[in-house]
């Protein structure tokens, strides 16, 4: 009977946190979906490669915002319920979890935005190659460049999780030094053999697109 009020109070806090989390998450999702729809409706963004990637992405910004807000509110409610139950160990654990949330959010943002931007720039180069002037040997170079940029994005994202990446850096640094040298040599070969007599045409096409 002495513990019962604390249990009831914890259950009430959890119920309130669940309701508030769903409502706030839904509100954030509606706001982000409308903002994304408004941004992609403009020709400057919607018709660009980046805008097409955003609209075709299976995970929308609204959905990510919804899940993020819900998780934050749920964890805060759990922390409050644990405090009501006067459980010091779980209270410290939940405090550590909540303090870790910004790192997880930064990880997700870097991963999603980084991958979208990498795909955007690679597709832009590929489209110029196929539509304006066919550049030989470009596809394997773009594949290597895409993999290298993916690796950079992943490592930047993992660093936000406060993980010890020393072993990964030790193993992969020589590999990517070799890939970087090979990529630089490949770009030089493409520039020399694939883009000769076409550089002026490509530059004019890029300038024309920027002016539009």
């Amino acid at each position: 009977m002495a513990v019962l009020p604390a249990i009831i109070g914890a259950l009430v806090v959890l119920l309130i946190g669940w309701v508030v989390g769903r409502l706030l998450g839904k509100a954030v999702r509606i706001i982000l979906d409308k903002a994304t729809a408004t941004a992609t409706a403009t020709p400057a963004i919607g018709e660009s490669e980046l805008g097409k990637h955003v609209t075709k992405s299976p995970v929308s910004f609204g959905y990510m915002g919804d899940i993020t807000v819900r998780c934050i509110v749920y964890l805060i409610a759990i922390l409050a319920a644990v405090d009501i139950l006067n459980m010091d160990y779980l209270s410290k654990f939940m405090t550590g979890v909540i303090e870790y949330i910004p790192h997880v959010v930064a990880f997700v943002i870097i991963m999603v935005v980084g991958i979208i931007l990498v795909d955007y720039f690679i597709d832009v180069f590929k489209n110029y190659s196929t539509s304006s002037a066919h550049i030989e040997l470009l596809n394997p170079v773009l594949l290597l460049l895409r993999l290298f940029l993916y690796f950079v994005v992943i490592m930047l994202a993992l660093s936000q999780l406060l993980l010890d990446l020393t072993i990964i850096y030790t193993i992969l640094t020589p590999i990517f030094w070799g890939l970087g040298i090979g990529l630089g040599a490949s770009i030089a070969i493409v520039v020399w053999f694939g883009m000769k007599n076409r550089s002026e045409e490509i530059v004019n096409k890029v300038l024309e697109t920027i002016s539009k």
Side-chain angles (χ1 to χ4, degrees), residues 58-203:
V59 180
S60 65
F61 289 111
Y63 178 77
M64 290 190 296
D66 185 2
I67 297 300
T68 302
V69 171
R70 287 194 191 192
C71 291
I72 293 174
V73 175
Y74 292 163
L75 288 174
I76 294 175
I78 294 173
L79 176 60
V82 171
D83 286 338
I84 293 175
L85 294 174
N86 196 22
M87 303 173 67
D88 293 336
Y89 174 77
L90 286 180
S91 179
K92 293 179 180 179
F93 172 74
M94 292 305 302
T95 301
V97 171
I98 292 176
E99 291 176 350
Y100 196 68
I101 288 177
H103 299 285
V104 177
V105 173
F107 168 80
V108 174
I109 292 175
I110 292 175
M111 283 290 293
V112 174
V113 176
I115 290 176
I116 290 176
L117 291 177
V118 169
D119 289 339
Y120 166 69
F121 286 115
I122 296 298
D123 289 342
V124 166
F125 288 124
K126 185 178 293 185
N127 290 335
Y128 281 128
S129 172
T130 56
S131 62
S132 61
H134 178 69
I135 302 175
E136 298 179 1
L137 305 176
L138 183 63
N139 288 333
V141 174
L142 290 180
L143 177 60
L144 290 175
L145 182 60
R146 187 193 295 268
L147 294 176
F148 178 76
L149 293 177
Y150 279 164
F151 170 77
V152 173
V153 170
I154 292 173
M155 297 304 293
L156 288 175
L158 289 176
S159 65
Q160 299 300 317
L161 298 179
L162 305 180
L163 300 176
D164 187 5
L165 304 177
T166 305
I167 297 177
I168 298 178
Y169 283 129
T170 303
I171 296 174
L172 294 181
T173 297
I175 297 175
F176 277 92
W177 266 109
L179 288 177
I181 295 173
L183 184 61
S186 301
I187 293 175
I189 293 173
V190 168
V191 171
W192 178 257
F193 291 101
M195 295 181 64
K196 60 181 180 180
N197 301 326
R198 295 192 179 119
S199 58
E200 183 177 356
E201 180 183 355
I202 295 174
V203 171

Side-chain angles (χ1 to χ4, degrees), residues 43-69:
I45 299 177
E47 296 179 1
S48 65
E49 293 294 331
L50 181 59
K52 293 177 181 178
H53 275 83
V54 172
T55 54
K56 292 179 181 179
S57 176
V59 180
S60 65
F61 289 111
Y63 178 77
M64 290 190 296
D66 185 2
I67 297 300
T68 302
V69 171

